[in-house]
Amino acid sequence: MCEVVFPPCPFSLTHGSLTEQAKGDRPSHSASIGRTVPHALLEIRNLSYSLGGRAILRDISLDVREGETVVLLGRSGSGKTTLLKTVNELIAATSGTIRFEGRLAAEWDPIHLRRRMGYVIQDGGLFPHWTVEANVALVPRLAAWPPQRIAHRVEELLTAVGLAPAEFRGRYPRRLSGGEKQRVGIARALAADPPLLLFDEPFAALDPITRLDLQRLFLELRRSVRKTALFVTHDIREAMMLASRIALLKDGALDLLAEPREFRAADTPEARAFLAGLEQNGSAENWSQDEQRPRL
């Protein structure tokens, strides 16, 4: 399997600072040849989960490597969201293991584990009686960051997601559009600089134009912050656009794990069913992981 190499970005939002890389530090194309595969930030082994005697997840094994986006693709009821919630211990697996940063998830303090994973859900999941600034600052405040550092981080992240701080920091969620709420949700997920981001169908409820704008934002932020992500969707076009690799789930089991280009050639019945829908709605060739994305 070939290693996907993302184009370099001149900016970094990690560790609470926005810095410009020197042009001489940018890796050349030839330097990327022979690059070793990054190690797994997240390791899932033989994971199963049952509820009321019914198997929801069945013997899933999956690695998520540093810097990649693994998209969990599947129909409703295939186990996508359940698998995502086992990663941050919102659901306890019946059997199997999860390792995060080389350590068994069961050995982590659950609160500390979740603070190491940004979490974005539909509609942003914002606290309605808190301002945008307070929502974004939640985890840094819980981590006892100094107020000046928190204020700087909020301003930095609102700018990064396309929301002018002076205009938006004092607003309440009721005064935000659906797309603006999701931008705030993404900023909040990034606030404490977690190594892993979890996305649970974050753009599913948005209109097509707003959804495309946020998908492009996701790609731009991935270039700048270089985060690892586990992203749930039922939309094959979204999966093709955003994924480094696609993990296709069927009836709680892993049906296929492949890069987008390989996925197009897959011959499992479930993969062909999704690809048929893609062909009916137009090719995603221009949005594949292997093609150049439009920049914002």
Side-chain angles (χ1 to χ4, degrees):
M1 182 180 295
C2 66
E3 174 64 15
V4 177
V5 179
F6 300 112
C9 177
F11 299 107
S12 171
L13 279 168
T14 58
H15 307 298
S17 64
L18 185 62
T19 59
E20 185 170 1
Q21 297 177 343
K23 291 182 179 179
D25 293 338
R26 297 182 185 180
S28 67
H29 175 73
S30 60
S32 67
I33 297 174
R35 179 182 297 175
T36 58
V37 175
H39 81 272
L41 181 68
L42 179 69
E43 303 168 71
I44 300 170
R45 293 289 180 271
N46 307 114
L47 194 78
S48 296
Y49 173 68
S50 297
L51 182 64
R54 184 169 71 93
I56 308 298
L57 299 175
R58 298 186 290 118
D59 197 32
I60 292 178
S61 292
L62 175 67
D63 285 349
V64 181
R65 302 190 293 254
E66 282 191 347
E68 74 171 345
T69 296
V70 172
V71 169
L72 301 177
L73 175 67
R75 308 181 193 216
S76 297
S78 62
K80 307 183 300 297
T81 293
T82 300
L83 178 57
L84 194 76
K85 289 182 176 180
T86 63
V87 170
N88 64 359
E89 294 281 285
L90 289 177
I91 291 178
T94 304
S95 62
T97 61
I98 297 174
R99 285 184 179 272
F100 175 60
E101 296 187 306
R103 182 180 174 189
L104 285 171
E107 296 175 354
W108 285 77
D109 173 80
I111 294 176
H112 183 57
L113 176 71
R114 290 165 194 151
R115 290 181 185 176
R116 296 287 291 162
M117 301 179 182
Y119 194 30
V120 184
I121 61 176
Q122 287 188 31
D123 200 36
L126 305 180
F127 293 101
H129 302 302
W130 289 10
T131 64
V132 165
E133 182 173 30
N135 271 282
V136 174
L138 172 61
V139 176
R141 190 170 65 249
L142 291 173
W145 286 21
Q148 186 175 1
R149 184 185 178 194
I150 293 175
H152 175 74
R153 185 62 170 166
V154 170
E155 181 167 347
E156 178 181 56
L157 287 169
L158 289 179
T159 300
V161 299
L163 300 175
E167 180 180 354
F168 285 94
R169 67 159 60 93
R171 286 193 188 183
Y172 289 87
R174 64 179 178 272
R175 295 183 55 209
L176 302 175
S177 69
E180 289 166 349
K181 289 178 183 177
Q182 288 306 94
R183 289 173 187 263
V184 175
I186 293 170
R188 182 175 65 182
L190 288 167
D193 195 23
L196 179 63
L197 300 177
L198 306 178
F199 292 85
D200 190 3
E201 300 198 74
F203 311 142
L206 302 175
D207 65 83
I209 295 174
T210 302
R211 186 173 190 174
L212 181 58
D213 284 344
L214 288 173
Q215 288 166 341
R216 289 172 172 170
L217 173 66
F218 175 88
L219 292 171
E220 289 300 307
L221 287 174
R222 185 172 68 191
R223 289 186 181 118
S224 62
V225 302
R226 293 179 173 86
K227 292 297 183 184
T228 306
L230 196 59
F231 192 108
V232 169
T233 186
H234 60 267
D235 183 347
I236 179 63
R237 297 184 67 191
E238 185 167 69
M240 287 291 194
M241 180 179 182
L242 303 182
S244 306
R245 292 186 295 156
I246 299 170
L248 178 62
L249 298 184
K250 183 179 187 299
D251 298 329
L254 184 60
D255 183 76
L256 177 68
L257 178 62
E259 295 177 2
R261 177 173 291 179
E262 297 169 333
F263 193 95
R264 294 192 194 99
D267 58 3
T268 73
E270 191 70 359
R272 297 313 305 172
F274 273 94
L275 289 167
L278 178 65
E279 292 164 2
Q280 290 173 3
N281 289 285
S283 172
E285 184 68 30
N286 293 331
W287 295 105
S288 74
Q289 184 67 43
D290 306 305
E291 302 293 335
Q292 181 180 0
R293 305 305 208 294
R295 299 188 65 83
L296 293 179

